[in-house]
Amino acid sequence: MLDCGAVSPLPAVRLLQPADVPAAAAVGGASLSDQIPVALQPTTPAERAHLVRRQQARVSHLLATDPEGSWVAEVDGEIVGVALALVRDDIWGLSLFGVRPGLQGQGIGRLLLAAALGYAAGRRGALILSSTDPRAMRSYARAGFAVKPALAAAGAINRARLPAGLRTRAGDVEADRELLDAVSRHVRTAAHGRDLGAFVAAGDRLLVLDGRGFAVSRRGSPILLAAFDDEAATDLLWSCLADGAPGAPVHLDYVTQGNDWAVAVALEAGLSLSPDGPVFVRGETGPFAPYLPSGAYL
Ligand SMILES: CC(C)(COP(=O)(O)OP(=O)(O)OC[C@H]1O[C@@H](n2cnc3c(N)ncnc32)[C@H](O)[C@@H]1OP(=O)(O)O)[C@@H](O)C(=O)NCCC(=O)NCCS
């Protein structure tokens, strides 16, 4: 248990317990809601309920896979902050980090991040997909991470531009395991393992290009994409975009240096580019291309 003197009463940082999942997911969601573009925010009660279920499923999944990387901050018995980290093939990644709006900037995040980073000690490498929050970026840079600037792209695609002859097929997390693990290890030195099953369980679609790569589509947005070569990545990205409903907005996040194939597709599809939060890396994290990492599972 760690204590901090900046907030009164003192926050305590402790490991996440199963009973904390709804509160931890709610704090994580509230802390990040400003970062979600308005066009992508849920609008109906059904969409909001779906988002809450997905946020809780993510927290439960990480509690199951990484109980030692899952931390919360508590004040007066209430959860006010959360930091969830995962380790895959000895690479650490920060999945969720947020403090309740109104309590930010008072030292709670510093304690949480220190606890989550304890789980990174002695690992081969570490990855963080940052928001643009100055407090977050400062914390990661000061923890010894190197920065990779990133772009995002968003909008509704022009379906007339979808190329003919896309070669992807529906994937299967178990049957395609060998390819999936090999591609993830190519781009970031670590397989995604059980995280791919978590996407599928949440309703996302796994797409595979035989021998060359895979992507996860969430209603047309490529929420994870990894390939051995740019041509395969291009096919997979178009396949994700084709998977969305006509006229619905889609987004690509964390397009870093070396992923110009993604910029080319985004522009050809009619999406708009914007600056994104940077990626921070430490140690052996691979070429990071052709790769669009996942905000939840890196
Ligand atoms: C990012 C976040 C989790 C940090 O938690 P926090 O409790 O607000 O942060 P802290 O008060 O511990 O401050 C963290 C660092 O930022 C500094 N800081 C505080 N306010 C700041 C400000 N307005 N501008 C720049 N730096 C600031 C602190 O001094 C501290 O640095 P130090 O440890 O070198 O002194 C929190 O602000 C948050 O929830 N932000 C919105 C969600 C988000 O973007 N999460 C990150 C996802 S990658």
Side-chain angles (χ1 to χ4, degrees):
M1 202 86 106
L2 303 169
D3 285 328
C4 158
V7 180
S8 178
L10 297 179
V13 170
R14 61 165 175 80
L15 285 167
L16 176 76
Q17 302 300 315
D20 302 322
V21 167
V27 166
S31 74
L32 284 164
S33 64
D34 287 353
Q35 311 268 340
I36 302 174
V38 176
L40 300 171
Q41 301 258 6
T43 47
T44 65
E47 283 174 359
R48 275 191 284 276
H50 179 76
L51 179 63
V52 167
R53 277 198 303 278
R54 211 170 60 209
Q55 288 168 337
Q56 292 188 3
R58 170 180 175 177
V59 176
S60 295
H61 172 70
L62 290 167
L63 177 59
T65 58
D66 299 84
E68 297 157 70
S70 304
W71 294 86
V72 287
E74 201 176 48
V75 172
D76 273 347
E78 257 192 85
I79 303 241
V80 297
V82 59
L84 303 182
L86 53 81
V87 172
R88 303 288 175 262
D89 287 348
D90 207 38
I91 296 293
W92 176 97
L94 187 62
S95 170
L96 184 62
F97 179 38
V99 168
R100 180 191 285 177
L103 290 178
Q104 295 168 357
Q106 299 178 47
I108 298 174
R110 187 186 307 136
L111 293 177
L112 277 167
L113 187 63
L117 278 171
Y119 190 47
R123 310 277 181 199
R124 282 191 301 125
L127 299 173
I128 300 175
L129 309 184
S130 181
S131 68
T132 53
D133 188 318
R135 296 164 290 218
M137 293 188 286
R138 174 185 170 94
S139 305
Y140 308 146
R142 304 267 285 188
F145 284 73
V147 66
K148 285 180 187 286
L151 288 177
I157 68 157
N158 178 350
R159 296 189 76 84
R161 301 268 173 80
L162 287 171
L166 295 172
R167 288 163 294 166
T168 53
R169 61 168 173 83
D172 181 291
V173 169
E174 291 316 319
D176 294 313
R177 171 66 57 200
E178 204 178 317
L179 171 71
L180 302 173
D181 287 354
V183 178
S184 296
R185 288 186 179 127
H186 173 71
V187 297
R188 62 164 211 178
T189 81
H192 279 87
R194 287 167 61 185
D195 301 331
L196 296 174
F199 283 125
V200 174
D204 302 321
R205 280 162 54 93
L206 178 64
L207 303 171
V208 161
L209 187 54
D210 281 316
R212 298 176 67 184
F214 74 90
V216 178
S217 164
R218 178 169 298 159
R219 296 188 299 276
S221 295
I223 54 169
L224 169 63
L225 189 156
F228 285 124
D229 62 276
D230 289 3
E231 192 197 22
T234 298
D235 192 306
L236 284 157
L237 180 50
W238 277 117
S239 301
C240 282
L241 299 178
D243 188 43
V250 297
H251 61 99
L252 280 67
D253 297 308
Y254 300 110
V255 182
T256 50
Q257 187 177 21
N259 289 289
D260 298 296
W261 58 272
V263 174
V265 173
L267 295 178
E268 181 66 15
L271 304 182
S272 299
L273 298 176
S274 59
D276 207 349
V279 172
F280 285 89
V281 297
R282 215 166 70 174
E284 296 171 32
T285 50
F288 241 74
Y291 181 30
L292 299 177
S294 146
Y297 305 127
L298 303 117

